[in-house]
Amino acid sequence: MGATRPLETEQLLRQLAADRILVLDGAMGTMIQARDLDEAAFRGARFTHHDYDLSGNNDILVLTAPEEILTIHDAFLEAGSDIITTNTFNANAVSQADYGTEGYVREINYAAASLAFQMAEEWTALTPLKPRFVAGALGPTNKTASLSPDVSDPAYRAITFDDLVAHYLDATLGLLEGGVDLLLIETIFDTLNAKAALFAVEEAFAEHGKRLPIMISGTITDRSGRTLTGQTPGAFAISMGHADAFSIGFNCALGGKELRPHIAEIGRVADTLVCAYPNAGLPNALGHYDETPEETAREIGTWAEDGLVNIVGGCCGTTPDHIRAIVEAVEGKKPRIAPKPGEGLRLSGLEPFALANGAAA
């Protein structure tokens, strides 16, 4: 079993979040790509004779090149991250099947959590007044439970809800055994997938015998201001309201300037903390991110000044330099104060609907 933190971890996190804006890390994938690792590095000694190419399977590096992952965690912690995320964005059986490594999912998650915990503990010892935490990342998978991939058969689904639950459960148990402090269900494009993840997380808590704070982060796929399955930010927040989450928000897809109105909308609805970690601007024609650390931090700094956020960080294209600049930009800024839960019925389909005192609000 991996190491475990004291039972008061969530209480400590909430105390810290009430006092200041917390900072996540940046893009693990961006940092791995910058290392220009070859196929041999991804295979390591363990997968020398594996039947599939492993290049691009970033998650497998926690088994084959753990020192690379430790170095990246160290760099983000040195930059000032309060919370680092495990290298497990695609560490689920659905995504790992592309590499023939779906049988290693629980081990990958355990190893990733253990590595991140190790580095967070080292930095907490160095900066005891600034404790560091680990969020176990549960990515969206590469299949959707709500939409058909076959335009000629709208009723077809490439995966079932029950299958998603089973895959998320396997991954979550690995993260819990490895010693994470929080769980981060991130880059959600399909609310039904997220519901499956939440169902699995509850099963994992019951099996593991303890609960952890849950962070929920959706993604707006384009300038329409909706998730891939059509929900507005407000509807998405209401759909996730049953989870009793530590935080809710958005990441990826958009840069800070484009993401701001959606973060503001979710903040008007959510009675949890609000978390946002945008890309370093929009990608250029080659898929690269050109926004400088100063530009990213300037935008996120305005979010903090306007009381929109409690937790911030970076997604695609963001490096330790971006995180360092973000830390400076939000330092001393007061965190968002969540509104008190309103009375009445709140529902959501593609858009939110509230019924208060018998009338639509």
Side-chain angles (χ1 to χ4, degrees):
M1 298 288 287
T4 57
R5 290 211 186 247
L7 294 176
E8 63 269 15
T9 295
E10 180 170 0
Q11 182 180 357
L12 175 57
L13 276 165
R14 291 192 180 280
Q15 289 175 349
L16 292 170
D19 184 57
R20 61 184 174 85
I21 294 171
L22 302 180
V23 180
L24 287 168
D25 56 7
M28 174 65 72
T30 295
M31 297 296 288
I32 290 174
Q33 290 169 14
R35 284 169 146 66
D36 198 24
L37 302 175
D38 59 14
E39 177 67 18
F42 279 91
R43 286 177 176 268
R46 183 168 179 180
F47 294 97
T48 301
H49 303 295
H50 191 66
D51 291 338
Y52 292 70
D53 286 345
L54 293 179
S55 183
N57 185 1
N58 291 346
D59 309 78
I60 206 73
L61 292 172
V62 300
L63 302 181
T64 60
E67 66 286 348
E68 298 284 359
I69 305 305
L70 282 170
T71 299
I72 294 170
H73 285 321
D74 184 55
F76 281 125
L77 288 163
E78 189 277 331
S81 294
D82 297 289
I83 304 170
I84 57 172
T85 55
T86 55
N87 181 37
T88 52
F89 185 80
N90 287 308
N92 58 78
V94 184
S95 301
Q96 287 298 309
D98 291 344
Y99 301 97
T101 48
E102 61 269 38
Y104 300 92
V105 164
R106 191 154 173 176
E107 183 183 0
I108 291 170
N109 281 276
Y110 174 85
S114 299
L115 290 172
F117 185 91
Q118 172 189 333
M119 195 54 67
E121 285 289 88
E122 290 183 14
W123 273 93
T124 296
L126 290 171
T127 61
L129 296 180
K130 183 183 173 70
R132 314 305 177 96
F133 303 90
V134 176
L138 294 165
T141 83
N142 54 20
K143 293 182 179 178
T144 167
S146 293
L147 302 174
S148 172
D150 184 353
V151 293
S152 64
D153 186 2
Y156 173 72
R157 296 293 182 270
I159 195 165
T160 68
F161 184 89
D162 287 345
D163 285 341
L164 281 168
V165 170
H167 298 323
Y168 275 123
L169 177 60
D170 196 29
T172 303
L173 287 171
L175 292 171
L176 295 178
E177 291 160 358
V180 298
D181 301 300
L182 311 92
L183 290 172
L184 170 61
I185 302 171
E186 66 169 327
T187 322
I188 299 163
F189 59 83
D190 181 346
T191 304
L192 190 56
N193 281 38
K195 297 265 189 185
L198 287 168
F199 193 94
V201 164
E202 289 298 327
E203 287 196 352
F205 287 162
E207 183 173 332
H208 200 64
K210 70 173 183 178
R211 301 185 62 84
L212 297 180
I214 301 171
M215 301 175 70
I216 297 173
S217 186
T219 189
I220 300 294
T221 52
D222 55 37
R223 293 179 188 267
S224 70
R226 294 176 182 264
T227 64
L228 183 64
T229 45
Q231 285 193 307
T232 64
F236 173 72
I238 292 172
S239 292
M240 296 287 101
H242 64 91
D244 191 24
F246 177 72
S247 71
I248 191 166
F250 289 116
N251 71 288
C252 202
L254 302 175
K257 187 175 297 184
E258 295 76 18
L259 191 59
R260 179 189 170 111
H262 309 312
I263 292 300
E265 181 181 344
I266 210 169
R268 288 191 290 270
V269 175
D271 54 14
T272 67
L273 303 182
V274 166
C275 174
Y277 49 114
N279 292 344
L282 295 174
N284 61 29
L286 298 176
H288 299 149
Y289 296 87
D290 300 323
E291 195 169 88
T292 66
E294 292 73 24
E295 291 169 332
T296 301
R298 189 179 308 121
E299 179 62 32
I300 291 179
T302 67
W303 299 358
E305 290 169 2
D306 295 338
L308 299 181
V309 288
N310 303 96
I311 307 169
V312 295
C315 204
C316 302
T318 57
T319 66
D321 286 338
H322 288 81
I323 298 306
R324 186 174 292 105
I326 290 170
V327 169
E328 294 175 359
V330 302
E331 187 174 2
K333 306 289 196 307
K334 293 190 177 298
R336 165 186 169 272
I337 299 175
K340 293 182 179 179
E343 295 183 357
L345 177 68
R346 298 199 305 174
L347 303 173
S348 65
L350 296 184
E351 298 184 2
F353 175 81
L355 190 66
N357 299 320

